Amino acid sequence: MKTTKKQAAAAATSLAAQHWPHLLNELTASVIDPHLARPETRSTAHDLIAALLTPLTRKNCWTLAEHAGHPAPHRMQHLLLRARLDERALATALRSYIVRHLGTNDVVLVVDETGDVKKGTSTVGVARQYPGTAGRIENCQVAVYLAYTTPTGHALIDHRLYLARAWTQDPARLAAAGVPDQRKFATKTELAQQMIHTALEHARSAWVAGDEAYGRNPHLRAYLEEHRTGYVMAIAATDRLPTPRGPVAMKELAVLLPDEAWHKLSAGPGAKGERYYDWALIDDRADEAGVWWVLMRCGRSTGELAFYRCYAPAPVPLARLVAVAGRRWRVEESFAQGKGLAGLDEHQVRTWTSWHRWSLLAMVAYAFLVAVRVREARHHRGRDGLVALACNEIARLLNALLASGSGSEHVLAWSVFRRAHQEQARMCHYRRQAAQES
């Protein structure tokens, strides 16, 4: 890439980045400020959001307060535990902010859970359970999240902390952790249903996707069908489908399908090109309430199989179901970015209120990065030889340009170099994939 192109790209990025602090102020003013009663706590919330977006090695009340210039962590701790904050209204404002920036076209809501390994037993929700991220039973917290995804981007739109029966059957433990009196035991699927119900008020035509933990639950599927909400939910290879010859396991049914039943389709672009698989669709049933299918996916190089139960209130083509299935992995990316860039998993708090406030504010900080990425992508045409700005690059630039000891030119030059290299690697991957597929 010529020097003039690099200089032009750096100048364009610099001009855009200068507006980002203003956008951050707009976020805090519109999403956070209306739901905090006092100006002091509003100021603390601004400091906390800004500090969450910094590349601190650890993010907790102490490190965030130190970065913000506070003499002690007490203001941060007060915000998370005792300040008058309308959390429900803040969550609604966050959803509206995300919907406004990501739009309502082609929405897929993706439900999933994530866990944080913890020591001790006093922290709210901590129990011996399976967190998913560790791959084995651990002493941990588990929370269920809902991601809002469109073709332009994705962000975490809602969350629920899971309380195992060991908690809900122990009133003294609940009281010590500040859990509301009315809180009863709810399965992860029931928590997911609560969030989906709320999200559908913002996007009535949305689809829903989820992994086996949610796809195998008949009550969640029945709820979605009752509300005429399309879904593509993963199920197990051992699940059975009724046939004229009796129930047949999915993995056995896949072997019986003829070669012409499989179709090569992309589940969407990935880091190294389009994610091509072979897909097969089996009609289950159809009536006035909708259409049901079983969707099968086969890895083209590995032969690995995956299975999905699908529903739509009206017939849709195979490509539409494949697109929804391919969107499920976006929640994993949202977890990685929310944790890596906004400290979603770094809360060192023990009570119900402080956990929810930390998680909610971290989701707000991450939503800001997503909104900026979408905004900049609208102006990016790919003609400058640079990959579009990603959330991690926006966070890096935002912090470096605000507090750079080596000058903005140096910071921008490195950003342009990274993005040019990433674009070259991306194009190389796509060309190699095209050659292999031809």
Side-chain angles (χ1 to χ4, degrees), residues 172-191:
R173 197 179 187 190
L174 292 174
V179 180
D181 293 338
Q182 69 273 21
R183 181 63 55 179
K184 304 298 181 182
F185 175 76
T187 66
K188 297 169 189 174
T189 307
E190 290 169 340
L191 297 177

Side-chain angles (χ1 to χ4, degrees), residues 107-112 145-149 154-158 330-332 334:
V107 177
V108 178
L109 303 171
V110 187
V111 62
D112 203 358
Y145 285 83
L146 189 68
Y148 185 94
T149 80
H154 51 90
L156 299 172
I157 198 172
D158 208 346
R330 295 291 185 184
V331 71
E332 303 292 348
S334 292

Side-chain angles (χ1 to χ4, degrees), residues 25-40:
N25 290 335
E26 286 184 348
L27 165 72
T28 53
S30 63
V31 176
I32 295 178
D33 287 359
H35 313 298
L36 282 166
R38 298 182 61 84
E40 307 95 291

Side-chain angles (χ1 to χ4, degrees), residues 57-387:
T57 304
R58 298 182 66 186
K59 295 177 181 177
N60 54 48
C61 285
W62 286 29
T63 59
L64 298 186
E66 181 182 10
H67 182 272
H70 298 183
H74 306 315
R75 285 171 55 188
M76 298 284 186
Q77 293 168 341
H78 175 76
L79 170 65
L80 295 176
L81 183 58
R82 292 178 295 274
R84 289 179 58 192
L85 169 62
D86 189 338
E87 296 167 31
R88 181 172 296 181
L90 175 56
T92 300
L94 170 62
R95 286 190 290 271
S96 298
Y97 178 83
I98 292 172
V99 171
R100 184 168 69 252
H101 286 276
L102 296 186
T104 56
N105 179 47
D106 189 8
V107 177
V108 178
L109 303 171
V110 187
V111 62
D112 203 358
E113 63 197 62
T114 186
D116 301 320
V117 176
K118 297 288 183 180
K119 295 181 179 179
T121 59
S122 300
T123 301
V124 63
V126 167
R128 293 285 296 174
Q129 53 193 331
Y130 185 80
T133 50
R136 60 182 183 274
I137 294 177
E138 292 277 5
N139 196 61
C140 63
Q141 282 176 319
V142 173
V144 183
Y145 285 83
L146 189 68
Y148 185 94
T149 80
T150 69
T152 59
H154 51 90
L156 299 172
I157 198 172
D158 208 346
H159 67 319
R160 296 286 191 279
L161 180 64
Y162 172 71
L163 293 179
R165 292 188 187 277
W167 274 86
T168 57
Q169 294 176 352
D170 189 340
R173 197 179 187 190
L174 292 174
V179 180
D181 293 338
Q182 69 273 21
R183 181 63 55 179
K184 304 298 181 182
F185 175 76
T187 66
K188 297 169 189 174
T189 307
E190 290 169 340
L191 297 177
Q193 182 174 316
Q194 294 170 13
M195 294 188 292
I196 291 168
H197 177 81
T198 302
L200 289 176
E201 297 176 0
H202 293 262
R204 297 187 183 279
S205 60
W207 286 72
V208 174
D211 64 14
E212 289 183 23
Y214 305 93
R216 300 186 73 188
N217 187 285
H219 302 293
L220 178 58
R221 299 201 310 269
Y223 167 82
L224 295 172
E225 293 160 12
E226 179 184 347
H227 288 75
R228 298 183 66 80
T229 300
Y231 62 75
V232 178
M233 309 283 275
I235 55 175
T238 54
D239 285 358
R240 293 179 174 273
L241 181 70
T243 71
R245 298 182 179 181
V248 179
M250 298 297 171
K251 60 183 179 181
E252 297 172 358
L253 197 58
V255 176
L256 299 175
L257 291 178
D259 292 343
E260 56 268 23
W262 296 90
H263 305 275
K264 174 188 166 185
L265 290 170
S266 171
K272 297 185 178 181
E274 296 291 336
R275 294 173 295 140
Y276 286 108
Y277 296 90
D278 289 328
W279 301 84
L281 189 62
I282 299 175
D283 293 333
D284 185 1
R285 68 186 191 277
D287 55 33
E288 65 278 1
V291 187
W292 288 259
W293 304 269
V294 168
L295 178 65
M296 300 184 179
R297 188 193 74 194
C298 181
R300 293 179 61 79
S301 59
T302 63
E304 182 180 0
L305 293 168
F307 305 90
Y308 307 84
R309 284 197 178 273
C310 309
Y311 162 82
V316 296
L318 169 62
R320 181 59 186 144
L321 300 176
V322 169
V324 175
R327 200 81 69 79
R328 201 208 71 80
W329 70 277
R330 295 291 185 184
V331 71
E332 303 292 348
E333 190 173 81
S334 292
F335 285 151
Q337 293 178 345
K339 294 177 180 182
L341 300 177
L344 182 66
D345 62 335
E346 296 190 51
H347 45 79
Q348 294 185 8
V349 294
R350 294 199 172 201
T351 68
W352 175 269
T353 298
S354 54
W355 182 90
H356 280 83
R357 291 185 178 185
W358 176 282
S359 301
L360 187 55
L361 291 168
M363 289 163 60
V364 171
Y366 173 50
F368 168 74
L369 295 177
V370 173
V372 172
R373 191 198 69 78
V374 171
R375 179 181 183 274
E376 299 307 324
R378 292 196 186 104
H379 304 289
H380 179 79
R381 297 293 181 268
R383 293 192 296 266
D384 53 8
L386 305 181
V387 72

Side-chain angles (χ1 to χ4, degrees), residues 19-29 46 49-50 53 97 364-365 368 372 398 402:
H19 193 60
W20 296 347
H22 174 66
L23 296 177
L24 184 57
N25 290 335
E26 286 184 348
L27 165 72
T28 53
H46 295 186
I49 293 293
L53 293 171
Y97 178 83
V364 171
F368 168 74
V372 172
L398 181 66
L402 290 177

